[in-house]
Amino acid sequence: MASPTPNLVVHHLQIGQGERIPFLLEELALPYTIKLYKRAPLLSPPELKALHPMGASPVLQDLTTTPETPLLLAESGAIVEYLLNKYGNGSLSLPPSHANYADYLYWLHFSNGNLQPTIFRRATVKGLVPDLDDKRYKMADGRVQTCLQQFNERVASNTWLAGDEFTAADVMSMWCFTTMRQFEPFDLTEYPGILGWLKRVSERPAYKAAMAKGDPDLDIEAGISAKGPSPFGAFAAARAEASPKREKL
Ligand SMILES: N[C@@H](CCC(=O)N[C@@H](CS)C(=O)NCC(=O)O)C(=O)O
Protein backbone atom coordinates (compact mmCIF):
# COMPACT_ATOMS: atom_id res chain seq x y z
CA MET A 1 0.00 0.00 0.00
CA ALA A 2 1.37 3.44 -0.95
CA SER A 3 2.25 5.68 2.02
CA PRO A 4 -0.05 8.66 2.50
CA THR A 5 1.26 12.06 1.37
CA PRO A 6 2.74 13.79 4.44
CA ASN A 7 0.61 16.56 5.89
CA LEU A 8 3.11 18.66 7.84
CA VAL A 9 3.02 22.10 9.42
CA VAL A 10 6.31 23.74 10.42
CA HIS A 11 6.11 26.50 13.03
CA HIS A 12 9.13 28.74 12.58
CA LEU A 13 10.18 31.74 14.66
CA GLN A 14 11.96 33.90 12.11
CA ILE A 15 15.70 34.50 12.48
CA GLY A 16 16.26 31.26 14.35
CA GLN A 17 17.17 27.63 14.20
CA GLY A 18 13.71 26.69 12.96
CA GLU A 19 15.16 27.34 9.48
CA ARG A 20 16.67 23.84 9.66
CA ILE A 21 13.27 22.21 9.15
CA PRO A 22 12.15 23.84 5.88
CA PHE A 23 15.71 23.29 4.63
CA LEU A 24 15.46 19.56 5.38
CA LEU A 25 11.96 19.31 3.88
CA GLU A 26 13.04 21.11 0.69
CA GLU A 27 15.98 18.70 0.38
CA LEU A 28 13.60 15.77 0.81
CA ALA A 29 11.16 17.36 -1.68
CA LEU A 30 8.31 16.82 0.80
CA PRO A 31 5.24 19.06 0.88
CA TYR A 32 4.70 21.20 3.98
CA THR A 33 2.98 24.31 5.22
CA ILE A 34 5.08 26.87 7.03
CA LYS A 35 3.68 29.14 9.72
CA LEU A 36 5.92 32.12 10.44
CA TYR A 37 6.22 33.99 13.74
CA LYS A 38 8.02 37.25 14.37
CA ARG A 39 10.14 37.71 17.50
CA ALA A 40 8.28 39.76 20.09
CA PRO A 41 10.63 41.58 20.24
CA LEU A 42 13.24 38.93 21.11
CA LEU A 43 11.51 35.76 22.27
CA SER A 44 8.49 33.83 20.99
CA PRO A 45 5.17 35.63 20.62
CA PRO A 46 2.30 34.30 22.82
CA GLU A 47 0.72 32.16 20.06
CA LEU A 48 3.97 30.24 19.58
CA LYS A 49 4.53 29.95 23.34
CA ALA A 50 1.08 28.41 23.63
CA LEU A 51 1.84 25.70 21.07
CA HIS A 52 4.34 23.62 23.05
CA PRO A 53 5.46 23.60 26.72
CA MET A 54 8.96 24.80 25.74
CA GLY A 55 7.49 27.77 23.86
CA ALA A 56 10.38 27.71 21.40
CA SER A 57 10.83 27.11 17.68
CA PRO A 58 10.86 24.93 15.65
CA VAL A 59 7.70 22.95 16.29
CA LEU A 60 6.42 20.35 13.86
CA GLN A 61 2.81 19.27 13.55
CA ASP A 62 2.26 16.03 11.68
CA LEU A 63 -1.36 15.63 10.62
CA THR A 64 -0.67 12.80 8.17
CA THR A 65 -2.34 9.91 9.97
CA THR A 66 -4.22 11.61 12.80
CA PRO A 67 -5.42 15.00 11.53
CA GLU A 68 -7.78 15.46 14.52
CA THR A 69 -5.00 14.89 17.04
CA PRO A 70 -1.82 15.98 15.21
CA LEU A 71 1.50 14.85 16.51
CA LEU A 72 3.38 17.78 18.01
CA LEU A 73 7.15 17.68 18.20
CA ALA A 74 9.73 20.28 19.26
CA GLU A 75 13.58 20.19 19.37
CA SER A 76 15.13 20.59 15.93
CA GLY A 77 17.35 17.51 16.19
CA ALA A 78 14.39 15.34 17.16
CA ILE A 79 12.27 16.79 14.34
CA VAL A 80 15.04 16.11 11.84
CA GLU A 81 15.39 12.48 12.94
CA TYR A 82 11.59 12.05 12.99
CA LEU A 83 11.24 13.33 9.42
CA LEU A 84 14.17 11.27 8.14
CA ASN A 85 12.91 8.07 9.75
CA LYS A 86 9.23 8.55 8.85
CA TYR A 87 9.45 10.11 5.41
CA GLY A 88 13.11 10.21 4.33
CA ASN A 89 13.27 6.90 2.44
CA GLY A 90 16.97 6.74 3.23
CA SER A 91 17.80 10.22 1.89
CA LEU A 92 20.07 12.62 3.79
CA SER A 93 21.23 9.99 6.27
CA LEU A 94 23.74 7.16 6.16
CA PRO A 95 22.86 3.60 7.21
CA PRO A 96 24.88 1.66 9.82
CA SER A 97 26.40 -0.36 6.96
CA HIS A 98 27.98 2.77 5.46
CA ALA A 99 31.70 3.29 6.12
CA ASN A 100 30.98 6.87 7.25
CA TYR A 101 28.04 6.04 9.53
CA ALA A 102 29.88 7.09 12.70
CA ASP A 103 30.98 10.35 11.05
CA TYR A 104 27.40 11.02 10.05
CA LEU A 105 26.15 10.52 13.62
CA TYR A 106 28.96 12.56 15.14
CA TRP A 107 28.40 15.57 12.89
CA LEU A 108 24.61 15.28 13.05
CA HIS A 109 24.81 15.82 16.81
CA PHE A 110 27.80 18.18 16.87
CA SER A 111 25.95 21.47 16.33
CA ASN A 112 23.37 21.16 19.12
CA GLY A 113 25.48 18.96 21.39
CA ASN A 114 28.78 20.83 21.26
CA LEU A 115 29.24 23.83 18.96
CA GLN A 116 26.19 25.84 20.01
CA PRO A 117 26.47 25.29 23.79
CA THR A 118 30.20 26.01 23.61
CA ILE A 119 29.70 29.31 21.78
CA PHE A 120 26.94 30.47 24.12
CA ARG A 121 28.92 29.35 27.21
CA ARG A 122 31.75 31.65 26.11
CA ALA A 123 29.18 34.44 25.61
CA THR A 124 27.91 33.97 29.19
CA VAL A 125 31.41 33.86 30.65
CA LYS A 126 32.28 37.05 28.76
CA GLY A 127 29.53 38.84 30.67
CA LEU A 128 30.92 37.72 34.04
CA VAL A 129 34.67 38.27 33.85
CA PRO A 130 36.53 41.55 34.44
CA ASP A 131 38.58 41.24 31.23
CA LEU A 132 39.39 38.79 28.46
CA ASP A 133 42.65 37.72 30.14
CA ASP A 134 40.57 36.04 32.82
CA LYS A 135 41.34 32.33 32.78
CA ARG A 136 37.65 31.38 32.81
CA TYR A 137 37.19 33.31 29.56
CA LYS A 138 40.36 31.84 28.06
CA MET A 139 39.15 28.33 28.88
CA ALA A 140 35.74 28.98 27.31
CA ASP A 141 37.35 30.58 24.27
CA GLY A 142 39.75 27.66 23.88
CA ARG A 143 36.80 25.28 23.62
CA VAL A 144 35.22 27.43 20.91
CA GLN A 145 38.46 27.51 18.94
CA THR A 146 38.77 23.72 19.25
CA CYS A 147 35.23 23.29 17.88
CA LEU A 148 35.85 25.67 14.99
CA GLN A 149 39.20 24.13 14.14
CA GLN A 150 37.75 20.64 14.13
CA PHE A 151 34.83 21.68 11.93
CA ASN A 152 37.18 23.57 9.63
CA GLU A 153 39.45 20.56 9.17
CA ARG A 154 36.51 18.29 8.48
CA VAL A 155 35.02 20.41 5.70
CA ALA A 156 38.40 21.41 4.28
CA SER A 157 39.11 17.74 3.55
CA ASN A 158 35.53 16.59 2.76
CA THR A 159 32.86 18.16 0.58
CA TRP A 160 30.23 17.53 3.25
CA LEU A 161 30.37 16.71 6.94
CA ALA A 162 29.67 13.01 6.52
CA GLY A 163 32.05 12.73 3.55
CA ASP A 164 31.01 12.74 -0.11
CA GLU A 165 27.28 12.79 0.58
CA PHE A 166 25.27 15.79 1.70
CA THR A 167 23.29 14.76 4.80
CA ALA A 168 21.14 16.08 7.62
CA ALA A 169 24.41 16.81 9.48
CA ASP A 170 25.02 19.68 7.05
CA VAL A 171 21.39 20.84 7.44
CA MET A 172 21.69 20.91 11.25
CA SER A 173 24.98 22.81 11.19
CA MET A 174 24.31 25.57 8.65
CA TRP A 175 22.39 27.96 10.89
CA CYS A 176 25.16 27.99 13.54
CA PHE A 177 27.51 29.76 11.13
CA THR A 178 24.95 32.02 9.46
CA THR A 179 21.81 33.25 11.24
CA MET A 180 23.12 32.33 14.69
CA ARG A 181 25.96 34.83 14.29
CA GLN A 182 23.30 37.57 14.55
CA PHE A 183 23.07 36.60 18.24
CA GLU A 184 26.69 35.77 19.01
CA PRO A 185 29.03 37.18 16.37
CA PHE A 186 32.23 35.31 15.55
CA ASP A 187 34.66 35.87 12.73
CA LEU A 188 35.49 33.06 10.30
CA THR A 189 38.43 34.69 8.52
CA GLU A 190 40.80 32.12 10.02
CA TYR A 191 38.61 29.25 8.85
CA PRO A 192 38.70 29.00 5.05
CA GLY A 193 37.40 25.43 5.14
CA ILE A 194 34.21 26.57 6.88
CA LEU A 195 33.82 29.50 4.46
CA GLY A 196 34.10 27.13 1.48
CA TRP A 197 31.52 24.76 3.00
CA LEU A 198 29.15 27.67 3.75
CA LYS A 199 29.31 28.69 0.10
CA ARG A 200 28.61 25.13 -1.06
CA VAL A 201 25.60 24.80 1.25
CA SER A 202 24.25 28.26 0.36
CA GLU A 203 24.25 27.33 -3.33
CA ARG A 204 21.91 24.39 -2.82
CA PRO A 205 18.47 25.09 -4.35
CA ALA A 206 16.79 23.62 -1.24
CA TYR A 207 18.58 26.08 1.05
CA LYS A 208 17.63 29.01 -1.13
CA ALA A 209 14.01 27.83 -1.34
CA ALA A 210 13.76 27.29 2.43
CA MET A 211 15.23 30.69 3.24
CA ALA A 212 12.95 32.39 0.70
CA LYS A 213 9.95 30.83 2.43
CA GLY A 214 11.06 31.17 6.05
CA ASP A 215 13.21 34.31 6.20
CA PRO A 216 12.93 36.18 2.91
CA ASP A 217 14.48 39.33 4.41
CA LEU A 218 17.73 37.64 5.50
CA ASP A 219 20.84 38.48 3.51
CA ILE A 220 22.36 35.08 2.68
CA GLU A 221 25.63 36.56 1.40
CA ALA A 222 26.16 38.43 4.68
CA GLY A 223 25.32 35.25 6.59
CA ILE A 224 28.05 33.22 4.88
CA SER A 225 30.68 35.99 4.90
CA ALA A 226 33.81 35.85 7.06
CA LYS A 227 32.65 38.77 9.23
CA GLY A 228 29.06 37.50 9.46
CA PRO A 229 25.68 39.21 9.46
CA SER A 230 24.73 42.34 11.42
CA PRO A 231 23.68 41.67 15.02
CA PHE A 232 19.99 41.15 15.78
CA GLY A 233 19.04 44.51 17.30
CA ALA A 234 16.70 43.39 20.09
CA PHE A 235 19.17 40.76 21.30
CA ALA A 236 22.14 43.11 21.32
CA ALA A 237 20.07 45.71 23.22
CA ALA A 238 18.89 43.19 25.83
CA ARG A 239 22.44 41.97 26.36
CA ALA A 240 23.87 45.46 26.68
CA GLU A 241 21.22 46.27 29.30
CA ALA A 242 21.87 43.07 31.24
CA SER A 243 25.63 43.34 31.08
CA PRO A 244 26.90 46.74 29.91
CA LYS A 245 30.49 45.80 30.75
CA ARG A 246 30.46 42.84 28.36
CA GLU A 247 29.81 45.05 25.35
CA LYS A 248 33.03 46.96 26.04
CA LEU A 249 35.24 43.85 26.17
N1 LIG B 1 17.43 23.05 21.29
C1 LIG B 1 16.25 23.65 20.71
C2 LIG B 1 16.34 25.15 20.87
C3 LIG B 1 15.06 25.86 20.50
C4 LIG B 1 15.21 27.37 20.67
O1 LIG B 1 15.72 27.85 21.69
N2 LIG B 1 14.73 28.13 19.68
C5 LIG B 1 14.81 29.56 19.73
C6 LIG B 1 14.98 30.08 18.30
S1 LIG B 1 16.66 30.06 17.81
C7 LIG B 1 13.53 30.16 20.26
O2 LIG B 1 12.46 29.70 19.93
N3 LIG B 1 13.63 31.23 21.05
C8 LIG B 1 12.51 31.99 21.50
C9 LIG B 1 12.08 31.69 22.92
O3 LIG B 1 12.71 30.81 23.55
O4 LIG B 1 11.12 32.32 23.37
C10 LIG B 1 16.15 23.22 19.23
O5 LIG B 1 17.15 22.78 18.67
O6 LIG B 1 15.05 23.27 18.66
Side-chain angles (χ1 to χ4, degrees):
M1 198 170 67
S3 330
T5 306
N7 184 354
L8 306 167
V9 182
V10 178
H11 297 264
H12 168 49
L13 179 67
Q14 290 184 302
I15 319 183
Q17 59 203 290
E19 68 182 44
R20 290 162 161 163
I21 310 306
F23 183 14
L24 186 90
L25 289 166
E26 294 288 339
E27 288 284 352
L28 293 172
L30 289 173
Y32 65 98
T33 302
I34 188 162
K35 185 153 174 17
L36 302 179
Y37 301 83
K38 291 219 175 297
R39 289 177 178 268
L42 173 59
L43 299 177
S44 299
E47 64 273 26
L48 178 56
K49 278 205 171 92
L51 200 60
H52 186 276
M54 287 307 291
S57 154
V59 175
L60 176 78
Q61 273 179 312
D62 185 351
L63 298 94
T64 312
T65 48
T66 54
E68 310 77 28
T69 52
L71 175 125
L72 194 68
L73 185 62
E75 199 61 48
S76 53
I79 296 172
V80 163
E81 291 207 44
Y82 175 86
L83 291 170
L84 291 176
N85 292 330
K86 285 278 275 202
Y87 305 113
N89 287 320
S91 299
L92 299 187
S93 60
L94 300 183
S97 55
H98 196 289
N100 289 12
Y101 177 59
D103 292 316
Y104 164 68
L105 285 181
Y106 179 78
W107 291 107
L108 178 67
H109 291 279
F110 187 79
S111 57
N112 268 13
N114 200 341
L115 178 63
Q116 240 170 271
T118 301
I119 286 174
F120 284 107
R121 188 183 316 132
R122 180 180 68 175
T124 305
V125 171
K126 192 175 177 189
L128 301 173
V129 295
D131 56 59
L132 300 190
D133 286 330
D134 189 289
K135 70 173 182 225
R136 290 164 295 178
Y137 179 79
K138 286 194 160 159
M139 217 156 67
D141 184 51
R143 292 291 293 181
V144 171
Q145 301 311 329
T146 302
C147 280
L148 294 178
Q149 274 155 18
Q150 209 203 347
F151 201 101
N152 187 65
E153 277 164 30
R154 181 70 189 167
V155 287
S157 50
N158 294 275
T159 309
W160 306 116
L161 283 166
D164 294 336
E165 290 170 58
F166 180 87
T167 67
D170 301 286
V171 173
M172 282 295 289
S173 303
M174 182 64 169
W175 109 280
C176 302
F177 296 98
T178 54
T179 316
M180 196 183 95
R181 286 195 290 162
Q182 290 199 31
F183 300 95
E184 184 56 27
F186 55 97
D187 193 304
L188 291 172
T189 306
E190 305 289 312
Y191 300 101
I194 298 178
L195 291 172
W197 171 84
L198 285 174
K199 179 115 186 80
R200 293 195 287 284
V201 179
S202 73
E203 284 166 352
R204 295 184 72 85
Y207 181 70
K208 291 185 196 164
M211 296 309 283
K213 287 181 190 170
D215 286 279
D217 296 333
L218 281 192
D219 180 345
I220 291 181
E221 288 306 316
I224 66 167
S225 66
K227 298 285 171 210
S230 310
F232 183 72
F235 188 75
R239 198 167 58 190
E241 195 185 332
S243 180
K245 190 182 61 179
R246 177 197 193 280
E247 301 310 302
K248 297 197 193 84
L249 292 178

